[in-house]
Amino acid sequence: MEPPNPAGELELAAGLGRVYSLMRSLSLPRDLSMTTVSTLATLERLGPRRVTELAAFEGVTQPGMTQLVSRLEREGLAERRALPGDRRVVAVHLTEAGRAELARRRAAQAKRLAELLAGLPAADREAIAAALPALDRLAGAALGVPGTPNPGEHG
């Protein structure tokens, strides 16, 4: 394992920050907040979750997430349901309308990204595609996705 390179890590963090800003800029329309879209994506990725879990995942307060979930319910994008086996516990579920909304947004974002990628040389597009598996592992490790290797594990 190579020793840490603080300058290289700062450069990598700055570069990933620019990619994050790019992806945010491609997220149109802006009729839903980034936290709202992120919460829908979390429900899609991880399945039904309690409001307290969603608040922790999204870095917001529990009362703030409760308000957000109420809004998602009013808009038909999510719903609260009692968990089987323990009717006292309620989990937030993504609805089909919520899935469709995420798919619509991703399609629009992909279209805009494709237009940008088309302006890059083929070698750059190939390098970006080659980096995707490592970026997926990084994101999975950061989000605690089961089956994702921890940073530093090789394999």
Side-chain angles (χ1 to χ4, degrees), residues 69-89:
V69 168
S70 293
R71 225 174 19 253
L72 291 173
E73 283 185 304
R74 282 192 303 274
E75 294 171 9
L77 302 174
E79 62 187 7
R80 292 178 231 220
R81 291 189 230 150
L83 287 179
D86 189 348
R87 304 302 248 167
R88 298 169 297 169
V89 178

Side-chain angles (χ1 to χ4, degrees), residues 28-143:
L28 297 174
R30 298 240 196 291
D31 55 333
L32 296 177
S33 72
M34 292 301 292
T35 303
T36 299
V37 175
S38 179
T39 299
L40 292 172
T42 295
L43 289 170
E44 181 183 54
R45 186 177 59 254
L46 301 178
R49 291 287 179 258
R50 292 169 40 176
V51 170
T52 53
E53 290 176 295
L54 285 174
F57 280 128
E58 301 302 329
V60 300
T61 65
Q62 190 272 333
M65 183 54 69
T66 298
Q67 288 180 339
L68 175 59
V69 168
S70 293
R71 225 174 19 253
L72 291 173
E73 283 185 304
R74 282 192 303 274
E75 294 171 9
L77 302 174
E79 62 187 7
R80 292 178 231 220
R81 291 189 230 150
L83 287 179
D86 189 348
R87 304 302 248 167
R88 298 169 297 169
V89 178
V90 175
V92 181
H93 294 250
L94 186 64
T95 63
E96 286 307 312
R99 284 185 203 290
E101 178 64 19
L102 284 172
R104 183 181 69 80
R105 286 172 176 278
R106 287 182 182 133
Q109 188 179 48
K111 182 178 185 266
R112 288 189 291 280
L113 184 59
E115 292 166 359
L116 291 172
L117 287 170
L120 293 178
D124 285 354
R125 292 191 307 270
E126 291 167 10
I128 292 167
L132 291 177
L135 292 170
D136 282 341
R137 287 188 296 276
L138 176 65
L143 297 170

